[in-house]
Amino acid sequence: MGTSWIVSLRVSWPDSAVPPPPGPRLTPKRSGSLPQELLDLTHLLRWPLTPGDGGNLLASTSPQTSTYHLRDPAQTSYPLGGYLEAVLIARDHQGRRKSHGGDLFRAQLLGPDLKAGVPGDVKDLENGTYLLAFPLLWAGQAQVQVRLIHSSEAVGVLRGIWRDQWATVDFVGYFRGPTGHEETVTCNVNPLLIGKEESTCHYRDEDSGELWFCAQPPTLPCDSLVGHSSGRYWNVTTPHEEALLARNVTDKALHQGISPIWVAEENNRSLVLSPQQPCRPGIPGPKPSGFFHQNTWHSLSCSGRSFSTADSILGCLAGHIIHMMGDSTLRQWWEYLCDIVPSLTPVDLHTTYQTGPLMAVDTSRGIVLQWRAHRWPLRSLRTPVASLHSVVRELGGLAGGSHTVVVLSLGAHFTTFPPTIFVQRLAGIRAAVTSLLTREPRTLVVIKLANTGYKSVYGSDWFTLQVNRLLQAAFADLRVAFVDAWEMTSSLALPDSIHPGKHIVRNEVDFLLSYVCPT
């Protein structure tokens, strides 16, 4: 089966003496190794220190008093292809300048009349000052918008939870005996979360080596586990911490600090053009990775294509088998394609829709479109355990080839656990992807980054940023393609949603198809 190896993760949190929670040691059976960067989580997940507010909410960063202004004197117009730079000063609720960084700001340059937008770069100087930079990618009017997603004090709460809590949710396992008698128990990623270890059922994934634990049922044996579902969301915050994460101070726009600017055309060009190179796996991703104009995503890494009709999508997918594995944001892609292409006929596999597997086919064109949820930890309605296949197992069963497309979306269900749990999952999947590309290099593997959405202790954008860092580090040196859903969902002035609207999904799918059919 290949060389066995053990992942040893180096984590230290300089602002606390509390050690990270222990996790099961992982011993995947597949060959491969993680990049050194991914093994050193201290460096990869570095975030400026957040001293806290000493229990005084008024000392936390305020979206009402924080300000930003142009770095240089305003110009009558700005050249297409240049940059606009600004300075942001963080202040607390009493208007006092902050002396440290660590806030999570989101900066955007928007063109509302042109349905345009691009994320800005936010550089934390770690002294309460932030430098903002915006590429000028379209001609016409543009407007800066800055939002405080989380104060540094709120980030400190999130970071502490991620560091100190073994989990913030649990799950339910359903056991059934031969007579139909059922018993339910608590399940989780660590046996210490569900009771005494000697009275715990251990489940080891033979393909990835990952472990899952359920409390021993009162009368039924461990091998009678038949169902899985979400359990409870734990209360892990104090009243003061809840106030730091409250809606009135979370994801709030700063007062407008810069008047709209005008970007002039250059040589009769009104847009910065995408590179001419076709979209191929392994192309380095610039920052930003693209921008919206007229509600269409323009990639800055390769020549993305538009697939606006059912016929154009069918022409691209003909003869392909698409394997989508991951979370519900990827199921949206499956639903979009089934909705926009009438000849893609869903097949009733008599499964739980929320977790799949789901399948749609066009037999006349040889198209098979599949989606299934990844295995636990998975927050879902009750679903048969037998339907929850590990991504590693699914990848190991693929022969691959030029007709095979694999799309993975991981991370949304791992924000309720320490980062080591997600790295363990990535270890097995990376090894399986490496094996797949080795035995059949013509296979297309696409990684969808996690998008913006939740703002709570269970799924904050701050967690998602860290998850995306881990995803990119895990696959950066492999010949895979990335769809940067994070930037696509943070470029326009739209309310964040864990399940983005149809026009965002359309652009995500168009970019996927640009890799399937680059020319």
Side-chain angles (χ1 to χ4, degrees):
M1 293 293 292
T3 305
S4 293
W5 45 279
I6 294 177
V7 175
S8 175
L9 303 175
R10 202 167 85 228
V11 186
S12 73
W13 302 88
D15 57 341
S16 174
V18 180
R25 291 177 70 80
L26 177 67
T27 313
K29 291 185 174 182
R30 298 179 179 273
S31 61
S33 60
L34 285 172
Q36 185 60 39
E37 182 185 21
L38 191 59
L39 295 176
D40 184 2
L41 298 187
T42 306
H43 172 73
L44 183 60
L45 301 182
R46 183 190 178 278
W47 193 266
L49 294 180
T50 50
D53 58 8
N56 179 13
L57 185 65
L58 296 179
S60 63
T61 307
S62 167
Q64 298 296 321
T65 61
S66 298
T67 59
Y68 60 94
H69 58 269
L70 286 176
R71 189 174 187 179
D72 300 310
Q75 301 174 201
T76 305
S77 66
Y78 292 80
L80 183 69
Y83 273 84
L84 183 73
E85 295 183 326
V87 177
L88 189 159
I89 306 297
R91 293 181 171 86
D92 67 16
H93 288 268
Q94 295 178 314
R96 298 172 299 189
R97 288 185 62 152
K98 301 296 290 288
S99 59
H100 60 82
D103 301 291
L104 179 56
F105 287 104
R106 181 187 302 167
Q108 301 166 302
L109 189 66
L110 304 171
D113 295 339
L114 299 170
K115 299 175 182 177
V118 64
D121 178 68
V122 180
K123 182 178 181 181
D124 188 349
L125 300 185
E126 302 188 25
N127 60 3
T129 300
Y130 300 78
L131 299 183
L132 313 179
F134 306 90
L136 305 178
L137 302 171
W138 63 85
Q141 194 175 81
Q143 173 69 62
V144 172
Q145 177 176 281
V146 180
R147 304 184 73 84
L148 176 64
I149 305 299
H150 290 302
S151 67
S152 60
E153 291 75 19
V155 169
V157 173
L158 298 173
R159 186 180 185 185
I161 289 171
W162 218 28
R163 175 193 64 210
D164 300 339
Q165 296 289 332
W166 291 352
T168 56
V169 298
D170 60 25
F171 302 86
V172 178
Y174 301 82
F175 293 74
R176 183 188 301 138
T179 65
H181 168 68
E182 287 200 353
E183 295 173 353
T184 61
V185 301
T186 299
C187 302
N188 222 316
V189 298
N190 191 304
L192 300 179
L193 298 171
I194 55 180
K196 296 180 179 178
E197 190 167 359
E198 61 269 18
S199 60
T200 301
C201 297
H202 294 220
Y203 301 94
R204 184 179 187 276
D205 188 296
E206 294 302 320
D207 297 286
S208 69
E210 290 180 86
L211 297 172
W212 184 252
F213 305 91
C214 292
Q216 174 74 54
T219 65
L220 295 175
C222 289
D223 62 4
S224 61
L225 177 64
V226 296
H228 167 88
S229 77
S230 302
R232 300 165 299 164
Y233 285 79
W234 298 353
N235 183 6
V236 294
T237 51
T238 67
H240 178 69
E241 290 170 339
E242 291 171 7
L244 289 171
L245 293 162
R247 291 186 178 183
N248 64 321
V249 291
T250 299
D251 191 19
K252 295 299 180 182
L254 275 61
H255 293 300
Q256 196 58 251
I258 299 175
S259 299
I261 66 166
W262 184 263
V263 181
E265 291 187 357
E266 183 180 353
N267 298 325
N268 294 321
R269 287 192 302 113
S270 59
L271 284 179
V272 170
L273 301 178
S274 297
Q276 292 303 303
Q277 64 176 337
C279 295
R280 309 277 189 193
I283 293 176
K287 287 294 179 185
S289 61
F291 65 100
F292 275 103
H293 186 265
Q294 298 298 346
N295 271 344
T296 296
W297 181 255
H298 296 260
S299 170
L300 293 175
S301 61
C302 60
S303 182
R305 300 178 60 196
S306 175
F307 297 83
S308 57
T309 66
D311 285 344
S312 63
I313 294 173
L314 288 170
C316 177
L317 291 182
H320 286 88
I321 303 175
I322 316 296
H323 302 270
M324 298 182 180
M325 309 174 207
D327 56 43
S328 57
T329 65
L330 191 54
R331 188 182 67 221
Q332 286 187 276
W333 293 15
W334 186 91
E335 293 166 338
Y336 169 81
L337 287 167
C338 289
D339 181 54
I340 204 82
V341 182
S343 64
L344 272 174
T345 306
V347 179
D348 186 359
L349 299 178
H350 304 285
T351 59
T352 304
Y353 183 85
Q354 190 187 33
T355 54
L358 306 178
M359 177 183 289
V361 299
D362 184 326
T363 55
S364 66
R365 295 174 176 84
I367 301 172
V368 180
L369 183 67
Q370 299 176 325
W371 173 85
R372 72 182 313 138
H374 60 69
R375 210 177 191 195
W376 49 49
L378 181 73
R379 299 189 297 277
S380 69
L381 301 174
R382 177 170 174 171
T383 192
V385 168
S387 296
L388 296 178
H389 294 189
S390 73
V391 172
V392 172
R393 172 180 293 186
E394 290 294 305
L395 292 175
L398 297 180
S402 59
H403 62 281
T404 302
V405 179
V406 173
V407 189
L408 305 176
S409 179
L410 310 161
H413 291 261
F414 288 83
T415 58
T416 52
F417 306 98
T420 50
I421 299 297
F422 189 46
V423 172
Q424 290 168 359
R425 176 62 53 90
L426 290 177
I429 293 176
R430 175 190 158 84
V433 168
T434 300
S435 296
L436 174 59
L437 294 176
T438 298
R439 65 178 174 267
E440 185 43 271
R442 294 176 298 172
T443 306
L444 174 61
V445 177
V446 179
I447 309 296
K448 174 190 173 293
L449 297 184
N451 52 258
T452 59
Y454 297 130
K455 304 290 186 291
S456 76
V457 295
Y458 308 106
S460 161
D461 281 351
W462 185 82
F463 291 140
T464 304
L465 270 176
Q466 315 314 312
V467 161
N468 280 340
R469 286 181 179 182
L470 296 174
L471 271 170
Q472 290 173 301
F475 296 101
D477 63 336
L478 299 184
R479 195 174 179 275
V480 303
F482 287 93
V483 175
D484 195 340
W486 174 268
E487 290 202 346
M488 287 190 182
T489 53
S490 57
S491 291
L492 296 174
L494 298 172
D496 285 340
S497 172
I498 194 65
H499 295 119
K502 188 173 181 178
H503 86 275
I504 296 288
V505 174
R506 171 179 62 82
N507 281 281
E508 292 173 343
V509 172
D510 276 0
F511 199 46
L512 163 69
L513 296 179
S514 296
Y515 284 100
V516 179
C517 305
T519 58

